[in-house]
Amino acid sequence: MLKDLVNQCRSYRRFYEDVRIPFDELKDMVDTARVTGSAANAQPLKYRIICDPDQCAKVFPTIGWAAALKDWGGPEPGERPSAYIAVICDLSIGKNKQWDEGITSQTIMLSAVEKGYGGCIIGNCRRSELLKILNLDPDKYCVGLLLALGKPKEEVVMVPVGEDQNTVYYRDENQTHYVPKRSLEDILI
């Protein structure tokens, strides 16, 4: 069921780095997202699949990881993503991407979960540096989001938002990652 996939589709930030995702599976994830809705049906998004270990190592330092975890600088070697998909806007088609990045990124993440992987949608990255690494012309392209992908190496647990209404995620001493979620009753108006 779709609801089961959505419940399993958490923001994973630690992976079994040695478990590679085959290029064809990553390509299929992009193909699944390719047919989703697009503002004015402009379809300005393009995708760069990064799954070569050397290229992944170049991309990794451009990322800001988990701002709410103040004492954590990101995944250690061996726990880093084994692949990335850069969501890129082709400026020659138009800048009117509206919500396209979110729609396609979530679709890719759901496709990843269905295939036994997980990931994290990352907005905190150094975009101009990433364009240089990917050898893309900044006059023609802009990076919207970066999707970090791999075989999850951590447990992510949803918990109810407390009385204090705090929605900040956190980890316990065992590195279990907790994500507070509002109840259905709290969000229906």
Side-chain angles (χ1 to χ4, degrees):
M1 287 186 69
L2 178 60
K3 192 170 188 175
D4 294 332
L5 280 177
V6 172
N7 282 326
Q8 294 170 41
C9 192
R10 303 292 92 216
S11 290
Y12 295 101
R13 294 175 180 88
R14 293 186 304 135
F15 306 91
Y16 292 99
E17 190 173 349
D18 59 333
V19 177
R20 310 308 302 175
I21 303 175
F23 181 84
D24 285 344
E25 289 191 49
L26 294 160
K27 189 175 171 184
D28 185 62
M29 292 176 203
V30 171
D31 192 40
T32 301
R34 174 185 64 81
V35 297
T36 60
S38 174
N41 201 33
Q43 303 170 59
L45 298 182
K46 305 276 175 97
Y47 305 86
R48 174 63 68 87
I49 295 171
I50 304 135
C51 57
D52 172 75
D54 292 335
Q55 198 72 356
C56 286
K58 290 177 184 174
V59 168
F60 180 81
T62 70
I63 300 169
W65 290 93
L69 303 175
K70 303 293 183 206
D71 59 343
W72 190 67
E76 296 293 326
E79 296 184 335
R80 294 177 177 170
S82 60
Y84 298 95
I85 297 176
V87 180
I88 298 165
C89 184
D90 182 334
L91 300 173
S92 70
I93 296 174
K95 297 177 185 176
N96 185 21
K97 55 189 171 164
Q98 301 279 334
W99 303 276
D100 293 15
E101 292 169 345
I103 293 168
T104 61
S105 295
Q106 182 66 12
T107 301
I108 288 169
M109 288 298 160
L110 289 168
S111 182
V113 169
E114 184 180 51
K115 294 176 186 323
Y117 304 108
C120 187
I121 300 172
I122 299 170
N124 184 5
C125 62
R126 293 190 297 280
R127 288 167 171 79
S128 56
E129 188 177 332
L130 192 53
L131 283 173
K132 286 179 188 172
I133 291 167
L134 301 176
N135 200 27
L136 295 173
D137 183 347
D139 293 327
K140 293 183 180 181
Y141 302 104
C142 70
V143 174
L145 295 169
L146 184 64
L147 312 180
L149 296 156
K151 184 75 171 171
K153 189 178 184 177
E154 65 182 339
E155 182 181 7
V156 178
V157 178
M158 290 185 285
V159 294
V161 170
E163 299 224 0
D164 61 1
Q165 298 300 306
N166 186 350
T167 59
V168 176
Y169 53 84
Y170 58 94
R171 290 193 176 153
D172 66 14
E173 64 280 351
N174 298 317
Q175 296 305 303
T176 300
H177 191 92
Y178 294 92
V179 181
K181 291 291 183 181
R182 298 186 195 285
S183 70
L184 180 60
E185 292 76 23
D186 289 340
I187 64 167
L188 288 175
I189 300 175

